[in-house]
Amino acid sequence: MKLSAIAFLTLMLSLLSGCASQPPAAPDWISGDSAQYKSAQYLIGRGQAATQEEAKDRARADLSKIFQVAVAADSEDVQKFKTGPGVPGQFESQASRRITTHTSQIIRGIQIAELWQDPATNNYHALAALPRLQTAASLRQQIGQLDDATGNHVEQSRKASDLFLKIAAASLAVDSQQERDSLQKSLQVVDPAGRGTESQWNSAKLNSDLDELLKRVRIASQVAADSTPGFAEIVSGALAKAGFMIETGQNPDFVLQARMEMADLGFQDGWYWQRGVLEVTLSETGSGRVRGTRRWTVKSNAPD
């Protein structure tokens, strides 16, 4: 049977319209769970932007928020640890840096799993994914290493005959568990069950043991006679903040001598500058033995 030209043209138009490509459907992860990256196996984040790179960055940031909340909580714990009565806080900045470093390592493991461009808006959508299994295995390995390190430090503290060596080892044990606590919180985020790995060490007991050792150090502070007003209070306050018992009598076991020399560098580029050196020396009162000396370069400026 032959078709007329009009009938043939009508048929072709209908076939073309039926076969015309429809806008591709949005991936399932745009507005819901991903069938490929299931929540039991992956942590995911989503990002949307006008460019691919910005969409990827936003997806990583979306996923990173989970761990950033843990970092904020850990940093707050470190601050509480620092300001607690009778508890040494000299490891605050070190612990905070390590918490941030561990979190950054986790975030670097985040991969951009999928990228999709919306044909209607031309915006890009990115899916960031972090595999739970591999990340949890890495965290458990690091936690195990810190638990082993804690045990070694505790044993060294118990065996040391020198009080300051005891304190140094006990401080490292506390520091290791502070670092471990941050990894445990990250592991609880990654672990689908939210359990993580329980520690064999009691952080409160480690802090208490360190506090008792610090209280055994009867120490006094001395500053140079020509020191800046208020410098003596700063030095004694630093010792007390570190958890040491300040000896106000005539027979301290140790003396911390502090000296700070500042030189005026004059007015430069709209600022007044000073530079100097801070030096502290710890000595045994009875024998006069110097246990150690530390020096720091000091530089300061102000508009007046």
Side-chain angles (χ1 to χ4, degrees), residues 12 28 39 50 55 71 78 86 89-90 96 112 126 172 186 197-198 201 206 210 216 249 259 267 274 284 299 304:
M12 290 300 295
D28 54 1
S39 60
V71 170
V78 172
Q90 62 266 39
S96 296
I112 299 301
L172 290 173
S186 294
T197 302
E198 292 300 322
W201 304 101
L206 293 174
L210 176 57
R216 290 168 54 185
R259 177 181 61 85
F267 187 76
Q274 286 188 325
E284 295 178 358
K299 195 171 184 179
D304 53 32

Side-chain angles (χ1 to χ4, degrees), residues 20-183:
S21 60
Q22 298 296 323
D28 54 1
W29 52 268
I30 294 293
S31 58
D33 294 333
S34 171
Q36 183 175 357
Y37 298 94
K38 299 181 183 297
S39 60
Q41 299 172 324
Y42 294 89
L43 292 171
I44 63 172
R46 303 174 182 85
Q48 175 186 352
T51 65
Q52 291 189 29
E53 290 307 313
E54 189 174 359
K56 292 177 182 179
D57 289 342
R58 290 184 178 182
R60 295 187 188 98
D62 184 49
L63 178 49
S64 301
K65 287 178 185 176
I66 304 172
F67 297 99
Q68 288 168 351
V69 170
V71 170
D74 284 330
S75 297
E76 183 179 355
D77 287 345
V78 172
Q79 292 291 343
K80 290 178 180 177
F81 164 68
K82 179 181 177 65
T83 58
V87 179
Q90 62 266 39
F91 294 105
E92 179 213 11
S93 59
Q94 297 177 35
S96 296
R97 283 197 300 271
R98 277 192 286 269
I99 289 169
T100 303
T101 299
H102 285 307
T103 305
S104 298
Q105 289 172 348
I106 295 171
I107 292 174
R108 282 198 294 270
I110 296 174
Q111 301 295 324
I112 299 301
E114 292 192 24
L115 190 67
W116 179 74
Q117 186 176 22
D118 188 340
T121 64
N122 289 328
N123 283 338
Y124 289 92
H125 295 258
L127 176 71
L130 183 71
R132 290 180 182 268
L133 186 61
Q134 294 95 315
T135 307
S138 175
L139 288 170
R140 286 192 173 92
Q141 180 182 15
Q142 295 177 69
I143 285 174
Q145 292 170 348
L146 287 169
D147 282 340
D148 291 342
T150 301
N152 291 333
H153 295 319
V154 169
E155 187 66 18
Q156 291 170 8
S157 181
R158 290 171 179 168
K159 289 182 176 180
S161 57
D162 183 271
L163 180 56
F164 278 104
L165 292 180
K166 284 180 174 292
I167 291 173
S171 297
L172 290 173
V174 169
D175 195 27
S176 295
Q177 282 302 291
Q178 182 74 40
E179 188 177 350
R180 188 229 194 257
D181 289 344
S182 73
L183 291 178

Side-chain angles (χ1 to χ4, degrees), residues 273-293:
W273 292 85
Q274 286 188 325
R275 183 173 60 195
V277 173
L278 170 65
E279 180 180 277
V280 296
T281 300
L282 181 68
S283 303
E284 295 178 358
T285 305
S287 64
R289 174 191 173 193
V290 175
R291 297 300 303 265
T293 298

